[in-house]
Amino acid sequence: MTTTRRSFLAGAAPAALIPALSGRLHAQEATGTAANSLPPAIAALKDRRSEAKPITSAEREERIARARELMEKNGMAAICLAGGATLNYFCGVRWGNSERLTVVVIPVKGQPYGVCPAFEEERLQERLALVPAMAQTRLYTWQEDESPYERVAHGLKDLGLTSGTVGIEETMPYVFAEGIGRALPQAKLVNARPVTVGCRSIKSSAELALMQFANSVTLQVYEAAWRSGHPGMSTHDFSALIGSAYERVGFPGDASCETGEYSALPHGSIKPQTIREGAIVLIDDGCTVEGYQSDISRTFVYGKPSDKMRQVFDIVHRAQARALATARPGVPCEAVDAAARKVITDAGYGPDYAHFTHRVGHGIGMDGHEWPYLVRGNTLPLAANMTFSDEPGIYIRGEFGIRLEDDMYITEDGAKLFTGPSLSLEEPFTQG
């Protein structure tokens, strides 16, 4: 539930993630020649949008009921949701944040209400109406010279909740939270995380199905790009192949591509890079299907890898498998990280973060990175239907880096990957 690598890179290095090839594809689509100009492996991809099954209104109503149970358990009178994934999760409303406050308030009892600019009333109401439980949501509107925060307070007053504890969704912009706090001097504002994360971290069968599909789509796209790439190609153009492949299957997605010494930087470099025969190539990221994310990394070599590359790949492969084998209900999140880190340290690439420079995994769902995290110090026990990345890596500065990342879900008695792991540098898409 933080700024993710995907959004950061999109802002910091748009040339790498939205390169010229993607733009040419749009122009070619207008003339109907796009498929003919693409590499065969990408041109063969089919639109898969009809396969994705949206979350139902009934499931969103169940989520609101669960949120109210957690509000009561945690002593919250209401939770406030600004634009973002959590608003979408509960209400089915995709709404961004600007300088103008728009929030939905879900009380522990009573009808939810919203606050929005007066000129947005109809637009917000039609989106809320998509979920029957939200169709009668009262909207408190404000004009440009009025305080939206007073409208939030007014809504709580109408519910008799002005002096209770109000949960603020953790990604709400500070200026909004501060304004709500000033308008509710008798209320106690707290982080709504016990409610929002308590709901979102445990995935339903429908959510797991969407994540399974998103991961399968990403792996299909990656393989098509891998078959279409070659030495001499720039990493920007390789990323463009992936972007074009996602357009073919019908889902928004992208991937960073790093090669050679730059693969030792986990989130890459903006410096121009050219793929060489025998050099490491590392691709990373995913796509979005009905609001749900995938996040996969693949590391490969065109040509023959060195013995050292093979050895490091084997270590990382074993670390990924060890993390998967360790994850099960009741095990602390930090134990999964420790298990993978021990494999890497015992192989001579420790201690701690010397070469394995990041945690072994992050939660994933409607955000590419969300709670909980598989990291030292997080003693939260795993539970069935939690979902994470499993992504150990070894990064040797000035030489190369190898990361293997697949997404996994916790089962009743263990953990499983959504997709088969990579088995070698030469054949990264051989399924195990």
Side-chain angles (χ1 to χ4, degrees), residues 33-338:
T33 61
N36 293 333
S37 66
L38 291 171
I42 293 177
L45 296 172
K46 305 298 183 183
D47 191 307
R48 301 187 64 185
R49 285 174 291 182
S50 64
E51 300 177 51
K53 306 302 180 186
I55 297 298
T56 65
S57 295
E59 179 161 329
R60 294 193 196 280
E61 292 177 15
E62 291 170 2
R63 294 170 177 180
I64 293 172
R66 172 60 176 158
R68 285 177 161 154
E69 292 175 3
L70 292 174
M71 277 186 256
E72 190 165 4
K73 178 180 178 181
N74 289 277
M76 295 183 198
I79 58 172
C80 294
L81 312 175
T86 301
L87 181 64
N88 187 7
Y89 176 85
F90 285 113
C91 305
V93 174
R94 298 182 182 182
W95 197 278
N97 291 314
S98 70
E99 76 281 9
R100 295 182 174 100
L101 176 73
T102 295
V103 298
V104 171
V105 180
I106 300 176
V108 67
K109 294 180 181 178
Q111 186 66 27
Y113 70 92
V115 174
C116 69
F119 67 84
E120 296 280 32
E121 181 177 9
E122 186 173 351
R123 188 165 76 101
L124 181 57
Q125 192 68 67
E126 69 180 8
R127 284 160 173 74
L128 289 168
L130 296 175
V131 179
M134 304 297 293
Q136 302 305 313
T137 298
R138 180 177 180 181
L139 295 184
Y140 294 76
T141 63
W142 55 280
Q143 299 294 348
E144 295 279 51
D145 61 343
E146 296 177 325
S147 168
Y149 308 110
E150 294 299 330
R151 298 297 191 273
V152 176
H154 190 176
L156 285 173
K157 183 179 179 180
D158 287 348
L159 292 168
L161 300 175
T162 53
S163 61
T165 298
V166 178
I168 302 295
E169 200 275 328
E170 66 179 280
T171 65
M172 179 183 289
Y174 176 78
V175 66
F176 292 173
E178 181 186 41
I180 292 171
R182 286 198 309 268
L184 294 167
Q186 303 304 314
K188 178 183 178 182
L189 269 57
V190 299
N191 194 326
R193 185 184 299 163
V195 177
T196 57
V197 176
C199 291
R200 287 182 55 186
S201 64
I202 306 298
K203 306 302 192 288
S204 69
S205 58
E207 290 179 289
L208 292 174
L210 285 170
M211 294 182 69
Q212 174 69 71
F213 184 63
N215 277 268
S216 299
V217 165
T218 292
L219 208 60
Q220 180 187 27
V221 161
Y222 278 9
E223 182 169 4
W226 169 68
R227 294 187 182 282
S228 304
H230 55 78
M233 172 178 281
S234 74
T235 53
H236 286 189
D237 283 348
F238 194 96
S239 291
L241 287 175
I242 292 173
S244 298
Y246 276 127
E247 291 192 46
R248 294 288 296 171
V249 296
F251 296 101
D254 50 49
S256 63
C257 178
E258 313 299 328
T259 190
E261 64 186 282
Y262 299 108
S263 62
L265 304 176
H267 287 170
S269 170
I270 62 173
K271 294 181 179 179
Q273 303 168 47
T274 299
I275 297 170
R276 304 185 310 274
E277 185 171 351
I280 289 290
V281 180
L282 173 57
I283 58 175
D284 178 31
D285 236 307
C287 70
T288 304
V289 174
E290 292 293 333
Y292 287 83
Q293 311 289 319
S294 60
D295 192 1
I296 295 176
S297 297
R298 284 293 179 265
T299 306
F300 54 87
V301 170
Y302 287 115
K304 184 178 180 181
S306 68
D307 290 342
K308 185 175 184 179
M309 292 174 184
R310 294 182 193 275
Q311 291 165 0
V312 171
F313 180 94
D314 179 65
I315 296 165
V316 175
H317 190 270
R318 287 189 285 111
Q320 188 189 42
R322 183 69 59 83
L324 182 69
T326 301
R328 61 184 182 278
V331 170
C333 285
E334 65 178 358
V336 182
D337 179 271

